[in-house]
Amino acid sequence: ALFQHAGVDGLCDSNAKGKKVLVTAAAGGVGVWLVQLASLAGLEVIGQIGSAENGEFVMELGASKTVNYKTTSLKKWTEEEGPVDIVIDLLGRKTLEDAWYCVKDAGVLISIVEPPEGRKPEQLESKNLKSLFFIMEPNGGQLAEVSKLLDEEKCKPVLDSVWSLDEYKKAFDRLDGGHARGKVVICDFAHPSPQY
């Protein structure tokens, strides 16, 4: 999403410096990676969060600012802070609708949940921006780059919780509750992989 579709040309992109990216659900399983990678690429990262604790956590991962959706809407935040170059939405619905207001002209709006055009507000003034619905595809080369960053301790995985196969309903409840910090994992403890 960040390096292929948002126009950031890797971690050494000098054009990324000074650009701003807003990541919704920044403390979630995908958000923690986007915050870290965008920060490493030199972007100014704004993380949308839902608690003061998650705000501190996201700042530790590399965000320079946060916006708490419980106290400030994205539309209101943009009126006060100004629009950003890139928004990567990880929530959809009302959050994706509000995200349209956050993007500068000639900016990029990416959603991994649903097509952004379906949530474009009717009253929104015409904007010249790229909107894209993106579904992740596994890529060995990209995973090798992330592994290198992990080995160099430039970023870290964040694990919210691990559940057995028998607890899959609880795992999905945790995930669907919207309060997981990092990844929620279901593991077959009878046949664990070597890293467990």
Side-chain angles (χ1 to χ4, degrees), residues 2 11 17 21 33-45 61-64:
L2 185 63
L11 295 178
K17 306 286 188 248
V21 60
W33 287 104
L34 283 167
V35 169
Q36 292 178 87
L37 293 171
S39 177
L40 285 170
L43 287 111
E44 181 181 339
V45 181
L61 293 176
S64 58

Side-chain angles (χ1 to χ4, degrees), residues 120-141:
K120 185 176 181 180
E122 290 181 21
Q123 68 276 18
L124 182 71
E125 293 179 21
S126 180
K127 282 190 171 185
N128 175 27
L129 62 88
K130 175 182 172 183
S131 68
L132 176 72
F133 175 50
F134 167 73
I135 297 176
M136 189 279 305
E137 297 175 3
N139 180 305

Side-chain angles (χ1 to χ4, degrees), residues 120-195:
K120 185 176 181 180
E122 290 181 21
Q123 68 276 18
L124 182 71
E125 293 179 21
S126 180
K127 282 190 171 185
N128 175 27
L129 62 88
K130 175 182 172 183
S131 68
L132 176 72
F133 175 50
F134 167 73
I135 297 176
M136 189 279 305
E137 297 175 3
N139 180 305
Q142 291 172 350
L143 292 174
E145 290 297 318
V146 170
S147 293
K148 184 178 174 185
L149 294 171
L150 290 169
D151 290 342
E152 295 170 354
E153 297 183 1
K154 291 184 177 178
C155 58
K156 62 182 180 179
V158 179
L159 185 63
D160 177 82
S161 54
V162 179
W163 305 84
S164 71
L165 285 173
D166 293 340
E167 298 174 305
Y168 76 92
K169 288 182 182 178
K170 291 180 183 177
F172 278 97
D173 287 345
R174 175 73 180 155
L175 185 63
D176 292 340
H179 300 290
R181 184 186 281 183
K183 291 290 185 185
V184 174
V185 175
I186 299 173
C187 180
D188 181 0
F189 290 105
H191 301 94
S193 61
Q195 64 267 24

Side-chain angles (χ1 to χ4, degrees), residues 80-98:
E80 295 171 1
E81 298 286 332
V84 299
D85 302 283
I86 303 164
V87 174
I88 302 179
D89 175 59
L90 311 175
L91 293 170
R93 298 183 298 267
K94 176 68 172 138
T95 303
L96 179 55
E97 181 180 324
D98 287 349

Side-chain angles (χ1 to χ4, degrees), residues 16-23 26 31-32 34-49 54-68 77 81-86:
K17 306 286 188 248
K19 288 189 176 180
K20 296 179 182 180
V21 60
L22 170 66
V23 178
V32 296
L34 283 167
V35 169
Q36 292 178 87
L37 293 171
S39 177
L40 285 170
L43 287 111
E44 181 181 339
V45 181
I46 299 97
Q48 183 199 36
I49 45 87
N54 278 347
E56 292 173 19
F57 169 69
V58 168
M59 299 279 280
E60 290 171 9
L61 293 176
S64 58
K65 295 179 183 177
T66 60
V67 55
N68 188 330
W77 179 85
E81 298 286 332
V84 299
D85 302 283
I86 303 164

Side-chain angles (χ1 to χ4, degrees), residues 51 109 126:
S51 69
L109 172 59
S126 180

